[in-house]
Amino acid sequence: MWMEAGLPANPRLNRQGDAPKTGIVHLGPGAFFRAFNAIYTQEAMEAAGGDWGITAVSLRSPTARDQLEPQGGVYTSVSLGAEGVTHTLIGSINKVLVAPENPSAVLDVMADPAVKIVSLTITEKGYCHEPSTGRLRLDHADIVHDLAHLDAPQSALGFIVGALARRRAAGVAPFTVLSCDNLPSNGHLARGMVLEFAGQVDAGLRDWIASEGRFPATMVDRITPATTEADIAALEEAQGYYDPACVQHEPFRQWVIEDDFVGGARPDWHLGGAQFVRDVDAHETMKLRCLNGTHSTLAYLGYLAGYETISDTVSDAAFAVLCEYLWTDEIIPTVPQPEGEDLAAYAAALLERYRNPAIRHRTWQIAMDGSQKLPQRILGTVSDALAAGRTVPGLALAVAGWMRYVGGVDEAGAMIDVRDPLAARLRELSEGAATPAAKVAALLAVEDVFAPELAAHDGFRDAVTGAYAGLVAKGARAMVQELVA
Ligand code: CS2
């Protein structure tokens, strides 16, 4: 019986009945996947049947497996909204594998003809690409390893190509690779990475994947903060059982999927509200720039202003007005009109979603991996606005906020726990420059993040430099108030 000081010893959640047969392998069984893909898939099976059980694969940590295996893969979805809390048991995951413990078992299940889809929530850094160019980083440690050990890979790309090689050798059709990460043209990016990797292995394998494989693009959206011990305790209090794999999320969700699957094989996700479309690009751009662009802006400027969560940050009127200004003046003018969407209404709804006090989404969590996020969330918007002859003082302040943040010291002089693949390099560049102008120039020169033509734009550089100097002199809150005054 599970016990922890102060908490009642309640029974552990576990599966009643049989688990669904595997039809999907999912790489990256984190909170978002459990709040999103796994719920849509359960609803599709409930509505229309099908062997779409999910074998989830963790590429790094045993945490998800250790949380889910004792309860047969079942966990609780906790939806937190204005109408209160809704608890739903989700049973679409039938197994969790930990790749480093047994890579061969992962390759075996991915090579199984019953597996029709391999989906991904591996975060931006999981694609081992250079964010500013979209090219595969052949010098990436995981890629170097996997090209030499394709029978025991470490990267998502290594597992995908290794399994596809087995399927080709066995005369089995490829699976569909379904990227569900916040990247522009994520299906196209995944295809490019897989083909570039496969080309390093065998030209015939690359050509087969290029011809027979499918890599549909998707736009995914549901705000899902990391689960905390307090969340687990609250669920135990409310439902009387212990479930460390529970996920907390907003009621809102949106999944827009390019309907392009190998043999047309996929679950009836539309029965849970997913939208199958021919072209996802406009929806992706809308979401990445309007939601994720303001999310990252609030993360850096809100953190520096001393706000712990997004809802805390937008409870400060100046930051709410900042979002409205960014959407109206700097972001939406660069977003092509997605079919069926009202961009102004979409933005207004975003602000209400950010205000949700039940969702404790930490600015620190969203601030993670900014070097991998900024290009598609903010810098693409900046480049398009500048090309149209418009200035972007708000997004320049956001970029300056990121630069100040990765310097590793907050406005009270305390250290910031910066999580980013480039954290050490960014901090060293910042510390090695004495003035705001020198710091901005040093960070603009990081080509992983800033395309050279943007870094060379005098107007943008001057705007970021002025914003950075203001952050140092007056602080983030004052700079936001000044901008929206
Ligand atoms: C957030 C996203 O952590 C982050 O970077 O901006 O996870 C965001 O919550 C989702 O994209 C919302 O759909």
Side-chain angles (χ1 to χ4, degrees):
M1 185 71 76
W2 180 82
M3 293 286 288
E4 183 173 302
L7 281 175
N10 279 319
R12 174 133 195 188
L13 176 65
N14 57 52
R15 182 182 290 279
Q16 309 295 330
D18 298 333
K21 291 193 179 85
T22 296
I24 296 171
V25 169
H26 185 85
L27 307 186
F32 179 77
F33 154 72
R34 299 205 299 271
F36 194 80
N37 304 57
I39 294 177
Y40 273 105
T41 303
Q42 167 151 309
E43 293 177 359
M45 288 193 282
E46 286 171 345
D51 292 333
W52 295 110
I54 301 169
T55 292
V57 175
S58 179
L59 296 172
R60 293 277 183 272
S61 155
T63 302
R65 188 273 313 275
D66 295 346
Q67 291 173 339
L68 284 163
E69 194 165 61
Q71 40 201 71
V74 179
Y75 63 93
T76 314
S77 144
V78 183
S79 181
L80 300 160
E83 299 73 36
V85 183
T86 305
H87 298 103
T88 310
L89 294 185
I90 306 301
S92 53
I93 299 172
N94 58 24
K95 190 168 186 58
V96 183
L97 300 176
V98 182
E101 292 178 1
N102 188 347
S104 188
V106 175
L107 288 169
D108 288 346
V109 71
M110 292 174 72
D112 184 334
V115 170
K116 305 300 184 190
I117 295 170
V118 171
S119 48
L120 314 173
T121 50
I122 54 177
T123 77
E124 295 86 348
K125 58 183 178 290
Y127 292 80
C128 303
H129 71 302
E130 194 173 71
S132 57
T133 64
R135 293 300 308 272
L136 176 63
R137 288 187 45 212
L138 290 170
D139 63 339
H140 191 292
D142 288 351
I143 300 302
V144 171
H145 171 275
D146 291 358
L147 287 174
H149 306 88
L150 201 53
D151 58 343
Q154 293 172 349
S155 70
L157 296 175
F159 278 105
I160 290 169
V161 173
L164 288 173
R166 291 190 182 192
R167 292 173 82 109
R168 179 181 179 232
V172 173
F175 41 70
T176 295
V177 176
L178 187 71
S179 171
C180 298
D181 285 296
N182 287 316
L183 288 160
S185 303
N186 53 14
H188 177 75
L189 175 71
R191 183 176 190 273
M193 296 303 102
V194 167
L195 292 182
E196 206 169 336
F197 186 103
Q200 297 290 322
V201 176
D202 173 275
L205 174 61
R206 181 202 55 218
D207 295 346
W208 177 73
I209 297 170
S211 163
E212 305 304 315
R214 293 293 181 270
F215 299 78
T218 70
M219 182 273 263
V220 296
D221 187 3
R222 172 166 262 183
I223 291 174
T224 307
T227 298
T228 65
E229 288 301 323
D231 295 327
I232 296 169
L235 176 61
E236 182 156 15
E237 179 68 27
Q239 296 294 312
Y241 59 75
Y242 173 64
D243 176 8
C246 64
V247 286
Q248 281 58 225
H249 56 75
E250 62 174 339
F252 178 90
R253 66 188 191 186
Q254 184 175 18
W255 198 7
V256 183
I257 309 168
E258 183 183 0
D259 201 359
D260 181 23
F261 289 75
V262 175
R266 56 166 176 77
D268 290 323
W269 283 315
H270 59 285
L271 299 177
Q275 300 157 260
F276 285 110
V277 298
R278 189 178 44 75
D279 181 353
V280 179
D281 282 357
H283 279 91
E284 273 188 339
T285 303
M286 172 188 75
K287 194 263 180 171
L288 283 170
R289 294 187 176 188
C290 292
L291 189 157
N292 296 112
T294 52
H295 240 198
S296 290
T297 299
L298 294 171
Y300 299 115
L301 297 175
Y303 182 96
L304 291 170
Y307 293 118
E308 186 185 1
T309 69
I310 291 295
S311 57
D312 296 341
T313 306
V314 296
S315 66
D316 180 331
F319 284 84
V321 173
L322 171 65
C323 289
E324 291 167 338
Y325 158 76
L326 286 175
W327 285 316
T328 306
D329 287 54
E330 297 190 12
I331 298 174
I332 287 177
T334 73
V335 176
Q337 177 60 48
E339 191 179 337
E341 297 287 350
D342 173 335
L343 290 170
Y346 178 78
L350 282 179
L351 190 52
E352 289 316 302
R353 292 169 61 189
Y354 293 170
R355 291 190 200 281
N356 184 347
I359 294 290
R360 302 287 301 160
H361 204 175
R362 296 175 64 195
T363 49
W364 177 82
Q365 178 187 343
I366 298 168
M368 287 182 185
D369 299 343
S371 69
Q372 313 295 304
K373 294 177 177 178
L374 241 60
Q376 60 271 12
R377 294 182 177 208
I378 292 178
L379 302 181
T381 309
V382 168
S383 296
D384 288 355
L386 294 175
R390 294 191 297 270
T391 59
V392 284
L395 292 175
L397 179 58
V399 172
W402 172 76
M403 290 180 171
R404 183 100 163 101
Y405 183 89
V406 298
V409 180
D410 70 15
E411 292 182 359
M415 299 310 292
I416 302 174
D417 179 9
V418 178
R419 303 290 179 87
D420 189 298
L422 305 184
R425 183 171 153 212
L426 296 168
R427 182 167 176 185
E428 185 182 354
L429 286 168
S430 178
E431 289 181 341
T435 65
K439 289 177 186 290
V440 169
L443 291 168
L444 282 177
V446 179
E447 292 193 9
D448 297 68
V449 182
F450 298 96
E453 53 275 14
L454 178 60
H457 191 287
D458 292 344
F460 178 61
R461 186 185 61 247
D462 293 348
V464 175
T465 301
Y468 192 103
L471 289 173
V472 173
K474 306 172 194 171
R477 188 164 190 278
M479 287 300 287
V480 170
Q481 286 178 314
E482 206 171 279
L483 182 81
V484 301

